[in-house]
Structure formats: C-alpha cells, structure tokens
Amino acid sequence: MLDRLVAESDTIWSRLRIEAAETARQEPLLKSLLCVLVLNCPSLESALARLIAGKLAAPLLPEEDLYGPALQVCQRARGLGNAVRRDLLAAVERDPACNSLVHPFTNHKGFQALQTYRIAHELWQEGRRSLASHIQARASEVFGVDIHPAARIGTGVFIDHATGVVIGETSVVADDVSMFQDVTLGGTGKESGDRHPKVERGVLLCAGAKVLGNVRIRVGAKVGAGSVVLGDVAPYTTVVGVPARPTARSRQDDMLHWQPADAASLAIDSLCLPKV
C-alpha cells in the first residue's frame, strides 16, 4: 500500500496541500502557519526544509540560515523525498488517531524528529559533521528525541509519541519499523565500534523497550513494553520482560503493523542505505 501511493508522489504532495487548505478554512487561526509550512511552498521537499528550519531555529542560528542548507539537502539527497513520503503514509496507516497527512506533518514530533535526522544524516555523509551534530543536539532539545546522524534508518518508519527515543550511532533500522516513546537502541557501555542494535523490517518496539548492544531484532518481531533486550530476537517472535524472553511466535500473515514484503528484501544486510 505504501509503495503504491509513494509511486504517485505528486499525488501525496497534492493531497497534503488540499488537506492544509481545508484545515486553514476550518480553523482560520492556523491559516498563516499552514501558508508558510505548506501552501506557499512549491514542493514537499521545500515544505520540509521550511518546517525543520523553523523548528530548530535559535537566536544564534536563525531560521533563514538553516533553511538554505536544509533545502539543498532535501533537493539533492537521493531517496530522501521517497523516505519522507513513506514516513508520512506510515503515520496515517498505523496511527488510529491520525486521519490526514497534514496532521503528522505539522504536529507529530516523531515524524518531525525523524525528518530532522534524515537531513542531519545527509550532512554527516557529506562530511559536514559539526553542523550535523548541532542539528542533532537541537532536535534533542526541541523534540525530546536523540537520533545520532550516523545511524542508518530505512523508510516507512513510524515513531509514535516519540518522547525519550534514543537511537545510537551504529544502529541500523530497516523499512517499516514502528516504535513508541522511550525506546532506546543503545550500547551496553562495554563495547566500542559497531555496538548498537540492528532492527530488521517490520519490527514493533513498544513503549519503553531497551535494546542494548550489537544485537539483531529479526524481521517481524515484537518487543513488549518495558522490556530489556540483550540478545538476538528470532523472526516473528514476541519477547517481553527483563531480560526479554520469547512468549509467542506470530504467523507472518497475522502481523498487524507491517505489510509483508519479498523475502529477499528482509535481511538487514540488503538495506540500500549509505554506509557509515
């Protein structure tokens, strides 16, 4: 479903503009905001750059100074536009409280923090690591979400509520992953180098889940709320507890938060993401 709609990317941008216009009509107090963030922008990429620059602006680094680099990244980064569109659609499809594209775009800090990461990641890859690190720090202050710009994150990712989410430097998150507030993809404190989790496609990380160390959460697995994962989790397995242990095995066609994909694309090693 996501991929079919993303293929119609102009439709997504048009839908976002139509929804923004209708929201402005229904709530005139938001008209100026929606004009700046959506209606006066020529593309989704420019709207995203305006959104992120406005969110992260500070007295010593004003919005217009951030907007230029953010827009350049959004326009030239291969695959970023597709990622933004898949993330938007994921929010609408997986959040029962969300019935429009304009709502996550303008209001959801999980979506906004993830897109901020995407811009910072591109800057990191380009060697502009001081700016990328500053953007990470500001995003942590503004959204309460700390995603290292060197982490590798796929598309169609949904971060609900988002407060307290931490994703470490060598983490890898595949497509179609969902996570809730207070999730940590961290190290154990006893390792260096490649020391963070690898989360495969379609995984669900519930509120407060802590995944520590260079472990793998295999395709379609679920980690229960408040669980602490210190070892690999098998595909389509639910784990809970401290330390987390398996409780059930789910059939692939029973997964509610993920649409199954071709098996060849499920392995974390096949992610078409830039190398750190």
Side-chain angles (χ1 to χ4, degrees), residues 56-63 65-66 134 138:
L56 302 187
L60 296 179
L61 191 56
E63 179 177 345
D65 288 354
L66 278 172
H134 176 78
R138 277 294 292 157

Side-chain angles (χ1 to χ4, degrees), residues 166-173 184-200 205 209-218 227-233:
V166 176
I167 300 178
E169 179 184 12
T170 59
S171 299
V172 179
V173 178
T184 296
L185 302 181
T188 62
K190 299 179 180 179
E191 302 169 303
S192 59
D194 190 0
R195 61 197 183 279
H196 294 109
K198 311 297 179 280
V199 181
E200 294 190 1
L205 303 172
K210 313 299 179 188
V211 186
L212 305 178
N214 188 7
V215 301
R216 290 201 174 206
I217 312 300
R218 298 288 183 173
S227 300
V228 178
V229 179
L230 300 175
D232 292 354
V233 176

Side-chain angles (χ1 to χ4, degrees), residues 2 7 15 24-25 30 32 41 61 83 93-94 99 120 123 132 146 149 152 171 194 238 246 251-252 262 265:
L2 288 185
R15 176 180 162 187
R25 186 190 67 79
L30 296 177
S32 295
C41 296
L61 191 56
E93 289 198 349
R94 295 179 212 157
N99 57 9
L123 291 169
D146 197 348
R152 290 184 282 160
S171 299
D194 190 0
T238 299
R251 286 167 50 87
Q252 181 171 334
D262 183 82
S265 68

Side-chain angles (χ1 to χ4, degrees), residues 117 119-125 129 132-133 136 146-152 167 169:
Y117 149 79
I119 292 172
H121 179 74
E122 294 299 329
L123 291 169
W124 184 272
Q125 294 297 107
R129 297 192 171 185
S133 296
Q136 172 201 1
D146 197 348
I147 307 176
H148 196 286
R152 290 184 282 160
I167 300 178
E169 179 184 12

Side-chain angles (χ1 to χ4, degrees), residues 232-256:
D232 292 354
V233 176
Y236 309 109
T237 299
T238 299
V239 297
V240 297
V242 182
R245 299 189 183 280
T247 62
R249 202 167 178 82
S250 301
R251 286 167 50 87
Q252 181 171 334
D253 56 4
D254 288 337
M255 301 303 290
L256 299 180

Side-chain angles (χ1 to χ4, degrees), residues 101-183:
L101 294 176
V102 73
H103 184 56
F105 187 82
T106 58
N107 297 326
H108 282 195
K109 67 179 181 180
F111 171 81
Q112 295 170 354
L114 181 58
Q115 307 322 310
T116 301
Y117 149 79
R118 296 198 185 284
I119 292 172
H121 179 74
E122 294 299 329
L123 291 169
W124 184 272
Q125 294 297 107
E126 294 172 3
R128 302 184 69 180
R129 297 192 171 185
S130 294
L131 180 56
S133 296
H134 176 78
I135 288 174
Q136 172 201 1
R138 277 294 292 157
S140 181
E141 293 175 8
V142 172
F143 302 120
V145 178
D146 197 348
I147 307 176
H148 196 286
R152 290 184 282 160
I153 300 179
T155 68
V157 174
F158 174 51
I159 307 178
D160 199 13
H161 302 295
T163 301
V165 167
V166 176
I167 300 178
E169 179 184 12
T170 59
S171 299
V172 179
V173 178
D175 294 348
D176 304 315
V177 167
S178 298
M179 65 182 75
F180 290 82
Q181 70 270 20
D182 287 322
V183 164

Side-chain angles (χ1 to χ4, degrees), residues 39-110:
L39 297 174
N40 291 346
C41 296
S43 66
L44 180 56
E45 287 74 12
S46 65
L48 180 65
R50 179 60 66 190
L51 172 72
I52 299 306
K55 288 288 184 179
L56 302 187
L60 296 179
L61 191 56
E63 179 177 345
E64 289 306 314
D65 288 354
L66 278 172
Y67 174 69
L71 180 61
Q72 291 171 8
V73 167
C74 290
Q75 289 177 335
R76 70 171 176 257
R78 182 179 179 182
L80 191 145
N82 177 72
V84 175
R85 287 166 172 83
R86 292 197 86 244
D87 294 344
L88 262 179
L89 291 170
V92 174
E93 289 198 349
R94 295 179 212 157
D95 185 354
C98 183
N99 57 9
S100 70
L101 294 176
V102 73
H103 184 56
F105 187 82
T106 58
N107 297 326
H108 282 195
K109 67 179 181 180

